[in-house]
Amino acid sequence: VEPRKPLIAGNWKMNLTHLEGIHLVQKLAMSLPEKYYAKVDVAVLPPFTHIRSVQTLIDGDELLMVHGAQDISPYDSGAYTGDVSGPMLAKLGCKYVVVGHSERREYHHETDELVNLKVRAALKHGITPILCVGEGLDVREAGGHIAHITAQLRAALAKVPAAQITGEGPTLVVAYEPIWAIGTGKVASPADAQEACAALRATLAELYDADVARRLRILYGGSVKSSNVGEIVAEPDVDGALVGGASLDGAEFAKLCAVA
Ligand code: G3P
């Protein structure tokens, strides 16, 4: 079995103007030598308004990073003011889309059912969902984190057959993002990240089979920086990172990718 190649994905969230976004991609491209891409996959996930320009830059300059989006509508088209659909994102060359981020679950009241529809919409249009799960501090302190995240994973993958997440084309990336570690500077310990990612992989093995579970990438997200990414991705079941704050600085993000 081939080892899983790590993925470092930069979730810009609602940050950077259009011009700053272009500048960041340029800076990242200049700061990360091409040879690193043999060992690590790098993705940037800008706001919708920046995607076309980022796509043009990546394609035109044949950059080795890829791009994606931060959200997707569960529907293909129609009267859904403000939403952006899978066919639209696919046309913009999006390889990944974040689904089920805790900020969307909280601020936009996204339910497990909606997250499931979004996962399926992404796969339908050839985009790999980066499916986020994670527990709040109260759940962690009560010791319920593993039950919580594995239930989120099961719900998000309802009616997703193995054939849709294996083989050629889109696959699935799972990201463990404990809410108490997001944007707080409080990173989970490597052992905590490993425990959660291993439990998620075991759940994938139950839902599908061991081979599917072995192939899929599971990321950790929450206050990842170039100074702590090394010990986190060294854990056997952690296959990369979903990075927020530290992805907004080209030099820092390049360093983080190089360390990974
Ligand atoms: O999606 C990544 C994210 O939620 C982590 O954010 O700023 O703690 O790296 P941050």
Side-chain angles (χ1 to χ4, degrees), residues 9 11 13 98 101-103 132 177 181-185 221-225 242-247:
N11 176 7
K13 307 193 179 182
V98 179
H101 196 283
S102 58
E103 287 150 18
C132 302
E177 293 213 329
I182 297 176
T184 57
S223 298
V224 176
K225 298 185 265 305
L242 184 55
V243 185
S247 74

Side-chain angles (χ1 to χ4, degrees), residues 44-56:
V44 290
L45 309 166
F48 290 132
T49 47
H50 308 15
I51 292 177
R52 170 62 95 186
S53 295
V54 168
Q55 175 197 26
T56 303

